[in-house]
Amino acid sequence: MANEADLFCSSSFSRQIICVLLLFSLAHAQNVVVFRPSYLTATGPVASVFLLGNTSGVSLTLRTVSPSNTTGSIGPPSCVGEETQWLITSEQVAKTAVRVHLKLEKSLRLCGENETDTDCCPQPLCVLETLQLSACVGEAPQASLLVQAKIYARLFPTNTGSDNKTVIPNQVHQPLGPCPCDLTLKACDIRCCCDKDCSLEELKLFASHCLPGPFGGQVSPAPDYQCSVQSTENSPDWFPFLCVHSPPENNPYLGLFYQGDTITPKPGPTFQGPVLSAPVPVNVYFQESPIFTLNDQYFTIPQKVLGHCVNSAPVAFLKNFNVKCVTQLRTCPDGSPLKTSLMDLRINVKNGQGGYATVDVDDEVATDLSQFISNKDAVASSDNTLVCQNLTLALDYKFYWKGNGITSITLTRTVGSVTLNGGVVLTTRYSAIFLNGEFTGEHNSGNPGYQVRQRVIAGIADTLDNNTGSIQRTTINLWKPVSDGLCSTSDKRPILFGENATSGCLLPISQQNLTQCNLLREAITSLHETLTTATYVSRYGNPDPRTLADWINITYVTLNSSMPMEDTTGSCYGIPSHQHIYVWSFISGVVQGIPQRDIRALQISYSLSTWAMDCGGGDVSPCMDPVETQLFPITSSVTFIDIPINTEPPKTRFQINFTEYDCNRNDVCWPELAFPITKYYKGEPYSQSLAKGLILVFFFITASVLGTPWRQIRQAWYTACL
Ligand SMILES: *[C@@H]1O[C@H](CO)[C@@H](O)[C@H](O)[C@H]1NC(C)=O
Ligand SMILES: *[C@@H]1O[C@H](CO)[C@@H](O)[C@H](O)[C@H]1NC(C)=O
Ligand SMILES: *[C@@H]1O[C@H](CO)[C@@H](O)[C@H](O)[C@H]1NC(C)=O
Ligand SMILES: *[C@@H]1O[C@H](CO)[C@@H](O)[C@H](O)[C@H]1NC(C)=O
Ligand SMILES: *[C@@H]1O[C@H](CO)[C@@H](O)[C@H](O)[C@H]1NC(C)=O
Ligand SMILES: *[C@@H]1O[C@H](CO)[C@@H](O)[C@H](O)[C@H]1NC(C)=O
Ligand SMILES: *[C@@H]1O[C@H](CO)[C@@H](O)[C@H](O)[C@H]1NC(C)=O
Ligand SMILES: *[C@@H]1O[C@H](CO)[C@@H](O)[C@H](O)[C@H]1NC(C)=O
Ligand SMILES: *[C@@H]1O[C@H](CO)[C@@H](O)[C@H](O)[C@H]1NC(C)=O
Ligand SMILES: *[C@@H]1O[C@H](CO)[C@@H](O)[C@H](O)[C@H]1NC(C)=O
Ligand SMILES: *[C@@H]1O[C@H](CO)[C@@H](O)[C@H](O)[C@H]1NC(C)=O
C-alpha cells in the first residue's frame, strides 16, 4: 500500500500536498515514520523535508556518505551522527508531522586569489556531497533519507563599485557600437551576452536569456535584398541583376541609437530613482494642460472622475464639463463644496501670460429648488425640520481665453436654503465652459460658417435693450427625457448642427382629457412652444447680435385651423403630437480646407395625429374610469437638409481645362516619370542622360524577357507547338 502511494506521489509534483495528507494517515496507521519526499536534491543552501508518523522520541542524525568503492551502493542507515557543514532544525507542523530544515553553514562566496579565510568556495562547484538523514529512536534507525547536494558558488560582479558608463563610439559612423547593451565600463552587464567584461561563468548564468536584437549586439540577419542571402528557392530569376552588394556593417541599424548629442559619463549610481518634484507650472496653457493658481497649486473644481464626484479635481485648459453630483443630506454641511465662502472662491489664477486672473464671483439665489432637490425622504418628521442656510447648489465657471492664455474667469454661484425634513437628496451642479475671446460672452459655433455638431444659434429680439434691434442668443431644443420619460420631468437639449435627431417624452392622458379636445390641443401646443422660443436663427456660426442680416426669420407653419375637426367621444383629432424642425443649409465656401456651411432656412411644423384610449388586450379600465391615464408620446425631430450648391449645367469638354498633364494639379504626375530625359533635367548633359535612360530601358526589356512571365509564355508556346 505504501508503494502504491509512492508511485502516485512521484508521478506528480502538484499532488504533493495531497500525498502528504495521505501518507500522513498511512504512517499514522502503521505506527512507522517516513520521510517525504523520499529523496532530496539540494541545489541551494536550504532544503526541507517532512517526517511523518509517530515522531515522539525520534531523534535526527546526519552524516555524509559516499558510495562503496566495491559495491557502488550506500551503506545502511546509521544512528551515529557526524560533523557536517549542515545545520538541522525541526518544527512540529502537526501532531504526526515534523518539518526538517537543512541549512548550509557556509558562505557561498568564491574565494579570492591567495585568500586565507576558509569560509569560501575554492571552486565554482562549491558543495558536492551525499548526505544521509536518519530518524532514530534510541539506536534504532526508523527511516532514512538521502540528500544529494550540488551547490554552486554565488558569483558577484568583480567590480560592482564602478559605475562608469561605457564610452560608446560615435554611433553615426559606427554600426551599433560593438555591443549596445554594454552599459557599464569594465563590468559585466547582466543579460548582455556580447559584453566582453563577462567571464565564462557569468555568461553561463544568463546565456539562455541574452538580450535580443540589435541592442543585445545581435545584428539581425542580412536584409533579403543582399546578394549574399540569395536563396535558391524563393528568389526570382532576375534577382542576380538587381541584388545589392553591401558590406554587412552597412546595416539599417546604423545610427539607431544616435540622438544627436553625446553624454559625458558622470560618476554616481546608474539606476537612480527619479527625483519627484512638484508639478512645474506652465508658462503658457495648451489644450488639456492643467490650470494653476498663483501659488502654483492646481486650480480645482468638484468634478466627476471615473463616475464618482471628486471635491477637488484639476481643471484642464479648454476642457468644458458639466457634472451633477448627488449627496444625501441629513445634517447641514459646513465644509466645501456645499458651503463655500467668497474668499475661497475668489482665487488668483495664473493666466498663462505671466500675470493672473481673479475669479469674479456672482451670486444667484435659487428660489425654485426643484432641480436641486430630487427626492425628499419619505420619513419626514415635522419636529426634525432643519433649514440649511445658503448652501452652494451650483458653481458655473466661465473661462474666457485667447491664444494660450486666460483673459478672465467668472463664476456664477447658485445658493439656496434647503429645508431638511429628516433628510434630502441634493443634486448639485458644477460646470466649466471655455469661451473664446474677451467677454463676447457667447460660444460661437464656427467661423464664419457652422461646424458640424456645434449648437445651432437661435435668437430672440432683445426687448431689454430699448429696441436697438439687437438680438439675444438662445437655442432651439429637442426633448431630453430623463428616467421615467415623462414630459413633466423632461429636460431640453439644444439641436446640434448637422445631426439629425428625434426625441420625445410621454404625457399621461385620461379619458376625461379626451373629452376636452381643444384644451388638450392647446396644452400640447404650449408644451411644444416651451422647447423653442426663438424667432430668428443665425445664418453663420458667429453672428453679430446687431447685424440683422446675420439672422433669418424662423418659419412656423401654423396649424390649419380651418381643418374640420371630427372629434368623437373618447378620441381627439388633430393633436399636434409631433414637431418637425427642418434646417436647410449649404456650403458657402471653404476656409483652410474646411467647408463652411450656412443656414438658408429653418422651418418648424407639426404633424397631427388622432389620440384615443387603447382598451384592447383586456385592459379596459382606462376606458371605464375617466381619470385613469394612459401614456401618449410627444415627439420632436430635427432634419438637416443639404442644398446642393452646384446647380449650374455641367461643363462641356471645351470648357474644362485640360489639367491631366498639369503636375501642379495632380497627385500622380506622369511627365515626371520621364524627367531625366526631359529638357528640364540639368544634372547631366542631355546626351548622357538620354544614353543612360536608353540603357535602363534596355535592361528593363531584358529583365522582362528573361523573367518569369515571358519564360512561361515561351514554355507555353513550345508546348503548344510540339
Ligand atoms: C508513539 O510511540 C511511543 C513509543 O515510541 C508510544 O509509547 C506511543 O504510544 C506511540 N503513539 C501512538 C499514537 O502510536
Ligand atoms: C574508496 O576509494 C577512495 C579513492 O579511490 C579512497 O580514498 C577510499 O578510502 C576508498 N574507500 C574504501 C571504503 O575503500
Ligand atoms: C598570490 O600568491 C602568489 C605567490 O605567492 C603571488 O605571486 C601573487 O601575486 C599573489 N596574488 C595576490 C592577489 O596576492
Ligand atoms: C571612472 O571614471 C573616473 C573619472 O573618469 C576615473 O577616475 C575612474 O578611474 C573610473 N573608474 C573605473 C573603474 O574605470
Ligand atoms: C445668506 O446669504 C444672504 C445674502 O447673500 C445673507 O444676507 C445671509 O446672512 C446669509 N445667511 C447665512 C446664514 O450665511
Ligand atoms: C434705455 O432707455 C432709457 C431711457 O430712454 C435709458 O435711460 C437707458 O439707459 C437705455 N438703456 C440702454 C441699455 O440703452
Ligand atoms: C439627415 O436627414 C436627411 C433627410 O433624410 C438626409 O438627407 C441627411 O443626409 C441626414 N443627415 C445626416 C447627418 O444623417
Ligand atoms: C388632463 O386632465 C387632468 C385632470 O382634469 C388635468 O390635470 C391635466 O392637466 C390634463 N392634461 C392635459 C394634457 O390636458
Ligand atoms: C422677419 O419677420 C419680421 C417680423 O416678425 C418682418 O418684419 C421681417 O420682414 C421678416 N424678415 C424676412 C426676411 O422675412
Ligand atoms: C390648410 O387647409 C387648406 C384648406 O383646407 C388646404 O388647402 C391647405 O393645404 C392646408 N394647409 C396645410 C398646411 O395643411
Ligand atoms: C483654364 O486655365 C487657365 C490657367 O490655368 C485659366 O486662366 C482659365 O480661366 C481656365 N479656364 C477655365 C474654363 O477654367
Side-chain angles (χ1 to χ4, degrees), residues 483-555:
S483 61
D484 56 3
L486 292 181
C487 291
S488 51
T489 60
S490 210
D491 231 340
K492 291 181 279 187
R493 69 177 171 90
I495 61 170
L496 303 180
F497 188 85
E499 263 191 6
N500 292 346
T502 302
S503 69
C505 61
L506 297 170
L507 197 65
I509 295 294
S510 65
Q511 188 76 34
Q512 193 182 359
N513 291 123
L514 289 177
T515 57
Q516 305 157 320
C517 291
N518 281 332
L519 271 182
L520 189 60
R521 276 189 283 268
E522 270 165 33
I524 285 158
T525 307
S526 65
L527 254 181
H528 278 307
E529 279 168 358
T530 61
L531 279 183
T532 303
T533 52
T535 51
Y536 298 98
V537 66
S538 168
R539 205 185 279 272
Y540 313 112
N542 59 345
D544 179 5
R546 291 175 199 283
T547 311
L548 215 62
D550 283 2
W551 302 87
I552 306 166
N553 284 356
I554 293 178
T555 320

Side-chain angles (χ1 to χ4, degrees), residues 690-703:
L690 186 65
K692 284 181 181 170
L694 288 178
I695 289 170
L696 259 180
V697 169
F698 169 73
F699 275 139
F700 180 73
I701 293 170
T702 316

Side-chain angles (χ1 to χ4, degrees), residues 28 31 54 56 137:
H28 185 69
N31 199 18
N54 182 0
S56 65
V137 175

Side-chain angles (χ1 to χ4, degrees), residues 57 112 242 245-246 253 271 287 306 313 316 320 361 397 404 461 481 491 493 534 593 605 637-638 649:
L242 296 177
H245 282 284
S246 160
Y253 300 106
F271 301 106
Q287 183 152 13
L306 300 172
N320 297 344
V361 188
Y397 283 85
N404 292 81
D491 231 340
R493 69 177 171 90
S605 61
S637 68
V638 58

Side-chain angles (χ1 to χ4, degrees), residues 435-459:
L435 303 170
N436 194 345
E438 299 176 73
F439 276 99
T440 57
E442 303 290 350
H443 182 58
N444 285 337
S445 297
N447 182 14
Y450 277 101
Q451 293 306 309
V452 171
R453 273 187 288 285
Q454 296 289 324
R455 284 177 187 198
V456 171
I457 300 169

Side-chain angles (χ1 to χ4, degrees), residues 651 654-659 662 665:
K651 281 185 180 170
F654 290 106
Q655 286 171 303
I656 297 172
N657 262 348
F658 274 94
T659 54
D662 184 346
R665 303 194 197 177

